[in-house]
Amino acid sequence: MGIQVENLVKTFRRPRHREGILGALSDLVYREYDEKKAVDNISFKIEPGEVVGYLGPNGAGKSTTIKMLAGILTPTSGSIRVGGLIPHTQRIENTKRIGVLFGQRSQLWWEIPVSESFQLLKYMYKISEADFRKRLGVFEELISLSDIYHLPVRILSLGQRMRAEMCAALLHQPDVLYLDEPTIGLDAVVKENIRNFIKQTNQETGTTVVLTTHDMPDIEKLCSRVIVIDRGRVMFDGNLEMLKHRFGSQNKLIVEVEDGLPDPQRLLLNGADEVIQEGRSSIITYDRNRRNSAGFLSDLAQLHKIIDFSVNEPDIEEIIRRMYKSLNQSDVESRN
Ligand SMILES: Nc1ncnc2c1ncn2[C@@H]1O[C@H](COP(=O)(O)OP(=O)(O)OP(=O)(O)O)[C@@H](O)[C@H]1O
Ligand SMILES: [Mg+2]
């Protein structure tokens, strides 16, 4: 199932609290409100079966968008179609086709065993006994449920609970899966299990996945495309390679020479963006679209004997960090 979002806006109204005792009294007499545009004119289109990372710094508007896609929140303006349905007006129909997971909050019933929660979901979604058994078999194989199946949710560890939550979200075989920080707070092993589970579900059933995360390996492992938002607006929409090209062109050449340290001025004149000396190594940062490591090395070799060198390309974490930094800078520029 595909998703179309056009000119989506969500504005929250928050009561303004005035300061001091007089302020508090005037608050009682007449309220003033602040408006916060959490989502500010967002448009995108997601094809059936895509896995899209929905990224952005804290407070960017990711969860607000997911809640509108899931039909939990009503947009202030703009339109959403998920498989042809309008989520907030066709809530029941929409709910049957989607699975939702909020990593920060439990969707399961706290006091009862996982197995009983699943029985309730089976009843709510009218899942046949045969389908139910089949799904449990798949979950057992992919993520192993039997060790926690009869325990109440409240005694589960975070990692155990998240395994149960993932299965609960997928029990009725939804066409679209919304995951809001599915790996938050999990250890490396459980993270990897959850990622594999998402990947296999997508590959085997063609489920469309929209995923928010601050975890870069999640993105590298899962997302063929990323949409980056900041202050409610789309800043980037494309595949990871494009993102790397745009924000990841700075390489680092780390080099050690026999007799002391090379002259940083000479390296800067040769096109290095930055030269840092750390112990016996020089770390030379350069833009690989304009310079290459061989150029620096052959120049250095004229004056020094090179003992060792290596070239580091930025990882996705570094690239996203740079992109967020450039978002902040463009904000400063637009304010000036
Ligand atoms: N119910 C609400 N009432 C008022 N303001 C809200 C409400 N929900 C979210 N906001 C505001 O909207 C903005 C976007 O919040 P949102 O939760 O969508 O961010 P996010 O991108 O999910 O951030 P994070 O990475 O921290 O989860 C924030 O400024 C937040 O304070
Ligand atoms: Mg959020």
Side-chain angles (χ1 to χ4, degrees), residues 253 266 292-304 306:
L253 167 67
R266 185 178 167 114
N292 60 46
S293 55
F296 289 112
L297 289 169
S298 62
D299 183 60
L300 285 171
Q302 289 178 11
L303 299 172
H304 307 273
I306 294 169

Side-chain angles (χ1 to χ4, degrees), residues 4-162:
Q4 278 120 29
V5 170
E6 269 171 37
N7 306 114
L8 187 65
V9 174
K10 180 71 195 181
T11 308
F12 290 111
R13 242 161 67 104
R14 283 186 289 210
R16 180 185 296 168
H17 295 290
R18 277 161 285 194
E19 284 186 8
I21 188 88
L22 282 177
L25 282 172
S26 8
D27 279 350
L28 288 176
V29 182
Y30 65 98
R31 276 232 173 275
E32 282 185 356
Y33 290 89
D34 285 324
E35 292 218 323
K36 166 86 201 173
K37 237 183 203 175
V39 169
D40 187 4
N41 206 22
I42 281 182
S43 303
F44 56 77
K45 194 165 172 238
I46 295 175
E47 299 298 331
E50 268 194 283
V51 182
V52 176
Y54 199 61
L55 315 181
N58 289 131
K62 304 179 294 297
S63 297
T64 306
T65 310
I66 300 280
K67 285 176 192 159
M68 288 192 280
L69 291 176
I72 300 166
L73 273 180
T74 304
T76 306
S77 62
S79 77
I80 305 177
R81 291 280 184 291
V82 180
L85 297 179
I86 303 169
H88 72 279
T89 57
Q90 296 168 289
R91 274 184 89 156
I92 296 175
E93 276 306 302
N94 183 60
T95 305
K96 286 182 195 161
R97 301 168 165 195
I98 66 166
V100 187
L101 182 146
F102 289 97
Q104 313 259 36
R105 218 181 309 146
S106 179
Q107 268 77 240
L108 293 167
W109 291 270
W110 206 240
E111 291 299 330
I112 61 176
V114 175
S115 56
E116 284 178 36
S117 278
F118 279 31
Q119 286 295 337
L120 279 169
L121 292 168
K122 172 176 179 259
Y123 173 76
M124 281 164 52
Y125 288 110
K126 301 191 174 66
I127 304 168
S128 73
E129 183 63 28
D131 278 347
F132 185 71
R133 294 275 139 224
K134 210 159 80 195
R135 297 302 291 158
L136 288 187
V138 172
F139 296 154
E140 187 55 35
E141 205 176 293
L142 290 182
I143 208 162
S144 138
L145 260 189
S146 52
D147 56 328
I148 52 172
Y149 197 52
H150 296 289
L151 303 175
V153 172
R154 71 181 150 74
I155 71 162
L156 298 182
S157 75
L158 182 62
Q160 291 172 330
R161 200 196 84 211
M162 219 59 105

Side-chain angles (χ1 to χ4, degrees), residues 15 48 70 99 111 120 135 170 186 192 194 199 235 259 292 295:
E111 291 299 330
L120 279 169
R135 297 302 291 158
L170 287 166
L186 304 180
E192 196 55 23
I194 294 278
K199 197 169 184 98
M235 293 295 160
D259 37 4
N292 60 46

Side-chain angles (χ1 to χ4, degrees), residues 82-283:
V82 180
L85 297 179
I86 303 169
H88 72 279
T89 57
Q90 296 168 289
R91 274 184 89 156
I92 296 175
E93 276 306 302
N94 183 60
T95 305
K96 286 182 195 161
R97 301 168 165 195
I98 66 166
V100 187
L101 182 146
F102 289 97
Q104 313 259 36
R105 218 181 309 146
S106 179
Q107 268 77 240
L108 293 167
W109 291 270
W110 206 240
E111 291 299 330
I112 61 176
V114 175
S115 56
E116 284 178 36
S117 278
F118 279 31
Q119 286 295 337
L120 279 169
L121 292 168
K122 172 176 179 259
Y123 173 76
M124 281 164 52
Y125 288 110
K126 301 191 174 66
I127 304 168
S128 73
E129 183 63 28
D131 278 347
F132 185 71
R133 294 275 139 224
K134 210 159 80 195
R135 297 302 291 158
L136 288 187
V138 172
F139 296 154
E140 187 55 35
E141 205 176 293
L142 290 182
I143 208 162
S144 138
L145 260 189
S146 52
D147 56 328
I148 52 172
Y149 197 52
H150 296 289
L151 303 175
V153 172
R154 71 181 150 74
I155 71 162
L156 298 182
S157 75
L158 182 62
Q160 291 172 330
R161 200 196 84 211
M162 219 59 105
R163 274 156 55 204
E165 302 266 2
M166 279 297 303
C167 296
L170 287 166
L171 199 59
H172 57 297
Q173 281 199 275
D175 287 324
V176 180
L177 186 58
Y178 301 118
L179 303 170
D180 194 351
E181 305 198 36
T183 60
I184 191 165
L186 304 180
D187 73 39
V189 176
V190 181
K191 269 186 186 172
E192 196 55 23
N193 288 341
I194 294 278
R195 285 180 203 132
N196 285 333
F197 188 43
I198 298 168
K199 197 169 184 98
Q200 297 204 16
T201 302
N202 167 259
Q203 283 173 350
E204 279 159 29
T205 59
T207 315
T208 310
V209 182
V210 183
L211 164 97
T212 86
T213 184
H214 292 288
D215 187 289
M216 296 309 140
D218 283 358
I219 298 164
E220 278 199 294
K221 169 116 197 188
L222 294 168
C223 305
S224 47
R225 171 179 164 199
V226 295
I227 298 175
V228 182
I229 62 163
D230 184 42
R231 278 155 291 173
R233 289 165 178 262
V234 175
M235 293 295 160
F236 177 87
D237 181 352
N239 64 33
L240 270 184
E241 284 315 306
M242 281 165 62
L243 189 75
K244 282 181 182 165
H245 185 75
R246 172 104 64 96
F247 296 97
S249 62
Q250 286 211 309
N251 280 11
K252 283 187 189 342
L253 167 67
I254 300 153
V255 60
E256 203 179 311
V257 297
E258 200 171 57
D259 37 4
L261 292 161
D263 175 16
Q265 279 313 322
R266 185 178 167 114
L267 289 161
L268 289 169
L269 280 174
N270 276 338
D273 293 330
E274 187 188 57
V275 180
I276 296 173
Q277 290 175 328
E278 231 176 62
R280 297 172 57 85
S281 302
S282 298
I283 303 167

